[in-house]
Amino acid sequence: MKGIVFLPEIHCISGTRSLPREILAANDGRDLEKVLASAGTIQIIPREPLRPFHAARKAVESVLLAKGTRFFGGFFVDEALADAMNTRLDELKAGFEKAKVELINGLDGYIEAQVKDAPEWEDVIRASAPTKEDLMEDLSFSWICPPVDLTDPQVEEALKGSPLSIRIAKEMSQACRAWLAEKRVGKVKGVPGIYVLKGIRVKAEALSFVDGRFRGLVTAFDQVINQSEAAIGTDGQGAASMVVNAVIRSAADPAEILAIGDRGECRVSMPAPLLDMMEDEPPVEDESPVVSRDPVPVSAWAF
């Protein structure tokens, strides 16, 4: 099983400088060495023109994790996807370099704006401001992508006790836990959470060469996604939303991610009264709505 490990290296700057302790004074005369854990900082370059560099770093991680997995400081992807990944990183680097040129060309103006905003700190701002040469050196975006064979004895030894398939399943389950932890305000259109399943499905398909269970995960999620999308705008949309939510809760457990892939089918536990109604049977009046029956295949639901 061969793949490519992308090792991106992105250097950004904060645009801040630490303030020397000797220029700080406490209003009440206290010894700052006793009341401050560290010197304060001052923003030398406005935050706004620095955002593209930090956004690029996050975008690189997002792109490589979408179809790959973390691998010893880098990101492991199928070698068949290497060209597409390189193209996408080239696009991100182009944006990074454009922002770098704009920052360097506008540096003098940014410094003057900061001085105007905080004239009492003019001496510190001017003395601490980076030069254009500094920015040329401090801002950089590069990567290497060496090939890796998972059957190599050294790689197998390095992965011993932490198989790659388990690492991948943990990343997928983390996406589910992150969605479950989100605070959603207002009514959500369509079927909430379906994009989470789609994202995991894309990752599973791209990494199916690592473990056959990920092919089974694709099959299982396709069934849920297709049935849920078909239910949008119909009387079954509410039930579809509940099923997607239940699948995400189930997939928040890495072990269940692999179990779903092994079965090639999602199974969820839902409130018994709802199941009764979907089976055209009258609900049991004294049964709690939080009591669940045994897990049933998603295919058994009539959306």
Side-chain angles (χ1 to χ4, degrees), residues 2 7 12 19 24 30 56 60-61 84 104 106 122 130 149 154 168 186 213 222 259 300:
K2 296 182 179 180
L7 297 164
C12 304
L19 291 170
L24 298 175
R30 289 177 297 168
V60 166
E61 180 174 304
I104 291 174
E122 179 177 1
D149 186 347
Q154 290 184 328
I168 296 169
R213 286 175 290 186
D222 274 346

Side-chain angles (χ1 to χ4, degrees), residues 4 6 60-70 75-82 84-85 88 168 171-172 198-210:
I4 302 293
F6 280 80
V60 166
E61 180 174 304
S62 178
V63 165
L64 294 174
L65 275 179
K67 295 185 177 181
T69 185
R70 296 186 188 280
F75 302 86
F76 181 81
V77 302
D78 188 346
E79 61 181 351
L81 299 175
M85 289 295 183
R88 187 70 184 94
I168 296 169
E171 290 173 354
M172 293 174 173
K198 287 183 176 181
I200 294 175
R201 183 229 180 272
V202 168
K203 188 182 185 81
E205 184 174 45
L207 292 168
S208 60
F209 73 102
V210 174

Side-chain angles (χ1 to χ4, degrees), residues 17-135:
R17 291 290 187 274
S18 296
L19 291 170
R21 282 183 176 273
E22 59 267 20
I23 70 173
L24 298 175
N27 292 332
D28 58 6
R30 289 177 297 168
D31 182 355
L32 287 181
E33 291 292 336
K34 296 180 179 179
V35 299
L36 288 179
S38 63
T41 60
I42 186 170
Q43 194 73 35
I44 303 298
I45 300 176
R47 292 184 177 87
E48 191 59 33
L50 301 179
R51 295 189 195 283
F53 308 112
H54 300 285
R57 174 180 286 166
K58 291 181 179 179
V60 166
E61 180 174 304
S62 178
V63 165
L64 294 174
L65 275 179
K67 295 185 177 181
T69 185
R70 296 186 188 280
F71 191 88
F72 300 113
F75 302 86
F76 181 81
V77 302
D78 188 346
E79 61 181 351
L81 299 175
D83 289 343
M85 289 295 183
N86 274 309
T87 297
R88 187 70 184 94
L89 292 186
D90 282 336
E91 294 171 353
L92 293 174
K93 182 176 181 179
F96 184 99
E97 294 298 333
K98 179 183 177 182
K100 180 177 177 178
V101 170
E102 291 176 350
L103 176 62
I104 291 174
N105 290 340
L107 180 61
D108 293 340
Y110 292 133
I111 299 303
E112 292 304 320
Q114 290 301 90
V115 169
K116 183 178 179 180
D117 189 51
E120 67 275 21
W121 296 106
E122 179 177 1
D123 292 345
V124 175
I125 293 173
R126 294 193 186 283
S128 303
T131 65
K132 294 182 179 182
E133 290 73 20
D134 290 335
L135 295 181

Side-chain angles (χ1 to χ4, degrees), residues 127-144:
S128 303
T131 65
K132 294 182 179 182
E133 290 73 20
D134 290 335
L135 295 181
M136 282 293 297
E137 184 176 348
D138 294 341
L139 293 167
S140 63
F141 183 162
S142 63
W143 67 92
I144 58 174

